[in-house]
Amino acid sequence: MSRPPRLSPAADATQRRRLFYFNGGFFRQSQLRRILDLAGYDLSLGKPGADDLVAVWGKSPTSHRGEAISDLTGATALYVEDAPLRSVGLGRDGHQPLGLLVDSQRPHFDSSGPSDLEQILATSAFDDTAKLNRARAAMEMLRYSGVTKYSSHQADSECPDPGYVLVVDQTRDDASVRFGGGSVGLFREMLVFAQEEHPGARILVKTHPETLAGHRPGYFDETHATGRVEILDTPVPPYVLLAGARAVYTVSSGLGFEAIIAGHKPVVFGQPFYAGWGLTDDRTPLDRRQRNLTRAQLFAGAMIDYPFWYDPYRDRLCELEDVIHTLQAQSRAAQEDADGYAAIGMKLWKRKHLQEFFGKQSSVRFSRSAQPGIPNLIWGSAQSDGAAVRIEDGFLRSRGLGADLIAPVSLVRDEVGLYYDPRNPSRLEHLISEALNLPDVALARAESLRKAIVAAQASKYMLEGDGPQIPDGAILVAGQVEDDASLRHAAPIVKTDAELLTRVRLDYPDVPLVYKPHPDVEAGLRRAGAVPESAYDILASGTAPDAVFGHVARVCVNTSLLGFEALLRGLPVSCYGIPFYAGWGLTTDHAQTPERRTAKPNLDQLCHAALIGYPRYFDPVTSLPCSPEIALSRLVNDEIPRPGRGNRVLAKLQGVFAGLAPLWR
């Protein structure tokens, strides 16, 4: 029996199959059911016929029920298991899967006979260059992002000094051990061989995540920590751990597969799916596996061809790369928010959104003063009694103005400084400097995101409006809000729009100047100084940025984000202030930029730091942390829930009292 093609629920009903189940997990886990539905299976209760399928969850304690029904009715057993990239947290803690393995022969970890996965690995040509390049890029993406089956590790966990031998523990009597040729004796034998084959080396025994969480014991504990053997019971990211290992020993753990991805040839004592293809040192070889595969071929079969992957944001099947981005966003949020926060001095209308944004892992407590023992969230440049994590709007913000009290889909979280205050370093500065070391796959993602933003004519507020007639070769001058914090901290030459226009006119006396006021000012929600009509030639009022970008030859800014958006579109940019994107060799700088900005990133390196590495994104449709690609899609397709009428009333009050107490900033 072959699996149905990857169908949508609206596909030809004749290609779908009825799938009967006798395990409560299929009833309780809505996302599991949805993935199977999208994969072409109609989950059903009752007695199956000979042409139907029976769902069996791996080799779980209840799997015998489905197998017995299959034998009784002649219906084909279909084995279902979690995919190798599952979720941020453990399934036993209620986390839903982002992918499934569906096999018509047996679970992929059952070495008693061939599975669909083994058949794929044994018979597929693996000569599709595009697919193999995808596999190589995805492996690089996993190594760089640190995403694994359970991505709840702590990125800042202290990693042992490199040079150790890594021995991988598993949960006692796990099905992957029992049906993968493992036993208690084999684990003991593995530990002995690791010591004998590496005399004098430090031996680290890595505890399984479920053992760390207290769910199931492993095969090793502190009684085995003798001599050179140590038990590693901290959540060190697996790829960081693998990078420091001189050798890896496993029975049948999925970490052995990740060791192959990381470049190791692991010593394997059991018979997992990845053994027997020439990429492992097999101590219990399977005679029927005689083919040699490359890492890319093994990965393509196991991670691209075999699983069904799920996109929870668009509620559809997706590609492996989408799942990596999903787990990257969700695991980052889980790691950063693990201890909870005290949010200091936040306005009432911000609190619900901040709780949603930062409170998925632990709660956000709102307070008037700093709280000891947990991170303190401070908005922007507000005063703080001590160390604080400062938050601000991200650079892809919303469909509508922040001053209209429309909640952002992105926020930046900075424990170092403020990105718009060049007097001191910020986390964004660090990311820009480090971007020179980004792998090719990260830069390819940044390039793709940048091109998508340009193609969609996306900007911070996603505003619309046709511009006036603009002669080719004109210069766009970006206006700002008079009391903007970036002007206070990063504008040493000019402070107002009028002063900026005067300075640009002096520098470009024969070029028409197009003045674009800040949209908050045009909407009457924020204050700006008077600008005489003689200071510019053309007023671009109520105009979307891209309606102007296509006609001008240069963009001149003080500290406006419009300069960054112009850079993304390949336009020359002159900075009279010191925005975050100045001083890196990509702009013409009229102010003295910080000497510490010595790196010379290219545009995609800057883009990765500012749009991928720095902000956090939130999907208001699913209320989940998300990738910038999902946030951009929501903004472009106008899929964000509209704020209530009360928001507009509060925003108008803000306009009345502009300069006294801004409501969102």
Side-chain angles (χ1 to χ4, degrees):
M1 198 284 295
S2 61
R3 297 185 303 174
R6 295 167 187 267
L7 306 174
S8 71
D12 185 351
T14 62
Q15 299 181 68
R16 298 179 63 83
R17 299 290 299 275
R18 289 200 304 174
L19 181 63
F20 289 79
Y21 62 95
F22 302 90
N23 179 315
F26 288 96
F27 179 79
R28 293 190 301 270
Q29 296 190 50
S30 58
Q31 197 154 292
L32 183 155
R33 294 169 60 86
R34 183 58 176 155
I35 297 171
L36 289 170
D37 179 29
L38 291 167
Y41 301 102
D42 293 326
L43 280 165
S44 306
L45 293 172
K47 182 181 179 180
D51 293 332
D52 293 322
L53 305 172
V54 175
V56 179
W57 186 262
K59 288 293 183 179
S60 68
T62 59
S63 62
H64 65 279
R65 299 176 191 164
E67 291 172 330
I69 295 294
S70 172
D71 292 340
L72 179 66
T73 62
T76 301
L78 195 69
Y79 293 90
V80 182
E81 261 287 347
D82 291 328
L85 298 179
R86 187 193 186 280
S87 53
V88 172
L90 303 174
R92 292 177 184 273
D93 290 333
H95 292 264
Q96 299 268 346
L98 289 171
L100 291 176
L101 307 179
V102 179
D103 204 296
S104 64
Q105 299 185 67
R106 58 182 40 80
H108 70 286
F109 54 76
D110 182 354
S111 63
S112 65
S115 64
D116 290 351
L117 174 56
E118 184 173 323
Q119 188 171 339
I120 289 171
L121 297 176
T123 63
S124 294
F126 291 126
D127 56 0
D128 184 334
T129 301
K131 181 180 290 186
L132 294 178
N133 285 338
R134 271 188 67 199
R136 294 183 188 100
M139 287 191 289
E140 186 179 35
M141 195 183 302
L142 288 173
R143 293 191 297 266
Y144 167 70
S145 68
V147 167
T148 60
K149 181 173 184 178
Y150 302 115
S151 297
S152 58
H153 47 263
Q154 290 298 319
D156 58 353
S157 295
E158 186 175 352
C159 188
D161 293 335
Y164 46 82
V165 173
L166 185 64
V167 175
V168 184
D169 196 8
Q170 294 175 247
T171 52
R172 187 174 289 270
D173 294 328
D174 187 76
S176 68
V177 175
R178 289 185 288 114
F179 291 90
S183 64
V184 174
L186 206 58
F187 275 87
R188 302 293 185 265
E189 182 181 336
M190 174 174 65
L191 185 58
V192 170
F193 271 91
Q195 296 173 77
E196 289 182 350
E197 293 173 354
H198 298 275
R202 184 182 183 191
I203 310 295
L204 289 184
V205 177
K206 185 191 181 300
T207 304
H208 191 278
E210 287 197 0
T211 305
L212 288 177
H215 292 305
R216 293 195 287 173
Y219 288 91
F220 300 113
D221 55 34
E222 289 298 334
T223 63
H224 298 94
T226 59
R228 296 180 285 132
V229 179
E230 303 174 29
I231 304 297
L232 182 66
D233 57 0
T234 55
V236 178
Y239 284 105
V240 174
L241 195 60
L242 289 167
R246 62 194 289 184
V248 178
Y249 284 70
T250 183
V251 171
S252 60
S253 171
L255 192 59
F257 179 54
E258 291 167 345
I260 294 173
I261 295 171
H264 287 280
K265 185 174 184 177
V267 181
V268 179
F269 282 74
Q271 297 171 332
F273 76 87
Y274 52 83
W277 310 107
L279 297 169
T280 51
D281 179 352
D282 299 325
R283 301 301 170 87
T284 314
L286 268 171
D287 290 339
R288 67 175 184 271
R289 296 181 189 172
Q290 296 292 328
R291 187 183 190 187
N292 285 338
L293 299 174
T294 66
R295 285 187 174 86
Q297 290 171 329
L298 175 68
F299 188 91
M303 299 293 282
I304 296 176
D305 292 343
Y306 186 48
F308 289 108
W309 298 112
Y310 177 66
D311 179 350
Y313 308 103
R314 301 181 180 96
D315 186 31
R316 66 188 186 192
L317 296 183
C318 66
E319 301 296 346
L320 167 65
E321 294 84 351
D322 299 315
V323 172
I324 295 174
H325 293 163
T326 295
L327 285 172
Q328 198 172 356
Q330 294 185 2
S331 64
R332 176 183 171 185
Q335 291 168 29
E336 291 182 349
D337 304 342
D339 297 329
Y341 298 96
I344 312 304
M346 298 294 174
K347 303 295 183 182
L348 289 175
W349 41 87
K350 290 184 186 181
R351 296 186 179 187
K352 179 178 183 294
H353 184 68
L354 290 177
Q355 185 67 255
E356 289 181 322
F357 209 106
F358 294 109
K360 293 295 182 185
Q361 192 72 11
S362 187
S363 64
V364 177
R365 289 181 281 166
F366 296 94
S367 173
R368 293 181 178 274
S369 58
Q371 301 295 305
I374 57 174
N376 285 254
L377 292 180
I378 305 291
W379 190 269
S381 57
Q383 294 297 313
S384 171
D385 297 335
V389 176
R390 297 189 179 274
I391 54 175
E392 259 287 359
D393 290 336
F395 307 131
L396 285 173
R397 187 195 184 281
S398 53
R399 197 171 185 90
L401 302 176
D404 253 340
L405 307 187
I406 295 176
V409 299
S410 69
L411 290 172
V412 301
R413 173 190 181 280
D414 202 315
E415 64 279 1
V416 179
L418 282 167
Y419 73 86
Y420 55 74
D421 185 354
R423 298 172 300 175
N424 298 293
S426 68
R427 182 168 166 269
L428 178 54
E429 273 194 5
H430 294 168
L431 289 171
I432 295 172
S433 295
E434 295 166 357
L436 273 64
N437 301 316
L438 287 170
D440 290 343
V441 68
L443 295 181
R445 181 186 181 190
E447 179 186 19
S448 178
L449 177 62
R450 174 174 58 82
K451 289 180 177 179
I453 289 171
V454 174
Q457 299 189 355
S459 60
K460 182 174 182 178
Y461 299 117
M462 300 295 296
L463 300 178
E464 299 175 351
D466 296 329
Q469 291 292 323
I470 298 173
D472 290 338
I475 287 177
L476 173 62
V477 180
Q480 290 183 249
V481 176
E482 189 177 69
D483 62 352
D484 190 79
S486 70
L487 296 181
R488 295 197 303 272
H489 302 311
I493 297 177
V494 295
K495 296 291 185 183
T496 66
D497 288 2
E499 292 175 5
L500 176 61
L501 285 159
T502 299
R503 178 62 188 266
V504 175
R505 179 76 78 186
L506 288 172
D507 291 340
Y508 302 94
D510 301 320
V511 181
L513 300 188
V514 181
Y515 172 51
K516 186 180 186 323
H518 193 281
D520 280 354
V521 175
E522 291 185 298
L525 300 172
R526 304 285 294 278
R527 188 172 63 186
V531 177
E533 292 184 6
S534 60
Y536 53 85
D537 300 296
I538 301 168
L539 180 66
S541 182
T543 304
D546 276 279
V548 184
F549 284 150
H551 301 284
V552 299
R554 177 174 292 272
V555 175
C556 292
V557 302
N558 201 349
T559 63
S560 171
L561 184 66
L562 205 67
F564 177 62
E565 295 176 347
L567 280 180
L568 296 183
R569 289 152 176 83
L571 286 169
V573 175
S574 295
C575 298
Y576 291 81
I578 315 172
F580 74 85
Y581 51 86
W584 306 102
L586 296 170
T587 55
T588 300
D589 300 323
H590 293 268
Q592 181 64 48
T593 57
E595 293 182 0
R596 62 182 178 271
R597 296 185 183 179
T598 57
K600 293 293 179 270
N602 62 34
L603 185 56
D604 288 326
Q605 289 166 337
L606 177 71
C607 180
H608 190 284
L611 295 175
I612 298 175
Y614 192 45
R616 288 253 303 267
Y617 294 88
F618 176 79
D619 177 24
V621 177
T622 61
S623 296
L624 293 171
C626 69
S627 68
E629 291 84 357
I630 293 296
L632 177 63
S633 174
R634 296 294 194 213
L635 292 171
V636 169
N637 296 316
D638 197 12
E639 297 172 337
I640 296 175
R642 300 285 184 182
R645 187 175 296 177
N647 268 49
R648 188 65 191 173
V649 174
L650 289 173
K652 284 299 183 184
L653 287 174
Q654 171 174 299
V656 173
F657 296 105
L660 298 178
L663 293 190
W664 186 256
R665 281 192 173 277

